[in-house]
Amino acid sequence: RWIEMCERSPRAVSAIRYHRPGGGSIQSRLLDVASAIEYWVASHRRLGRAWPRQGKTHAEALALHAGIPFRSLCRGRERDWANRFWQTYRDVKHDPSKAIDAQSTQVLTLVGTLLLEMVALNRCARSSAPARALASGVWASQLQTALASVL
């Protein structure tokens, strides 16, 4: 199922398949992750799914769709994450002169990457077990703490 998804939706999974820690700027990584989220949500909207119409942004729609594991990671503030993530994305994309806090941007981007991993693996597994496993790991716990300080 993973291979089939990679072949069918390469732009959606490229942000999680080709991530190289330490490579490129955090701004370019943010653009990659946000573009993948945008593509994932738009492709499901074209398929006639209802969930992509939730929320004000693509990030919010996907965050709400991911369910309890992502909500737990964000400590119930998934809408706050989505709004902050999307605003940072818009600032980077449309206002390159605006100062960007690299540390906050990195945390927001890592959470976005984890969100993509959760929904993609859930789709392959046809279950929410992958998201639950990802949200319960030590790395997710550390990311949760970092996100709380950003939000």
Side-chain angles (χ1 to χ4, degrees):
R1 291 185 202 138
W2 175 255
I3 292 169
E4 184 178 308
M5 182 185 301
C6 291
E7 290 173 349
R8 193 175 42 232
S9 303
R11 288 185 286 173
V13 297
S14 65
I16 54 180
R17 285 182 56 214
Y18 300 118
H19 176 57
R20 290 175 184 81
S25 71
I26 190 58
Q27 289 89 352
S28 62
R29 182 75 185 130
L30 170 72
L31 293 171
D32 288 345
V33 171
S35 294
I37 288 173
E38 198 167 25
Y39 178 80
W40 185 269
V41 174
S43 67
H44 284 85
R45 183 179 290 151
R46 282 191 300 276
L47 292 173
R49 306 288 197 279
W51 68 263
R53 289 170 175 67
Q54 299 174 358
K56 298 174 185 169
T57 66
H58 291 87
E60 189 174 350
L62 193 59
L64 295 173
H65 176 65
I68 293 170
F70 189 71
R71 187 175 308 126
S72 296
L73 177 77
C74 295
R75 295 182 176 160
R77 298 184 65 192
E78 63 275 15
R79 286 181 190 267
D80 293 338
W81 167 81
N83 292 332
R84 182 86 182 270
F85 174 84
W86 209 251
Q87 186 58 52
T88 305
Y89 166 57
R90 292 183 66 187
D91 290 344
V92 168
K93 185 175 178 182
H94 299 293
D95 188 2
S97 65
K98 185 166 184 169
I100 301 293
D101 179 334
Q103 188 171 7
S104 295
T105 302
Q106 182 176 27
V107 171
L108 294 168
T109 303
L110 289 170
V111 172
T113 303
L114 186 58
L115 172 61
L116 279 169
E117 291 170 350
M118 287 177 166
V119 297
L121 292 174
N122 283 357
R123 175 95 183 260
C124 289
R126 297 181 181 154
S127 156
S128 62
R132 289 192 308 270
L134 287 169
S136 66
V138 173
W139 184 78
S141 177
Q142 293 169 344
L143 189 56
Q144 181 184 51
T145 302
L147 180 60
S149 69
V150 168
L151 298 178

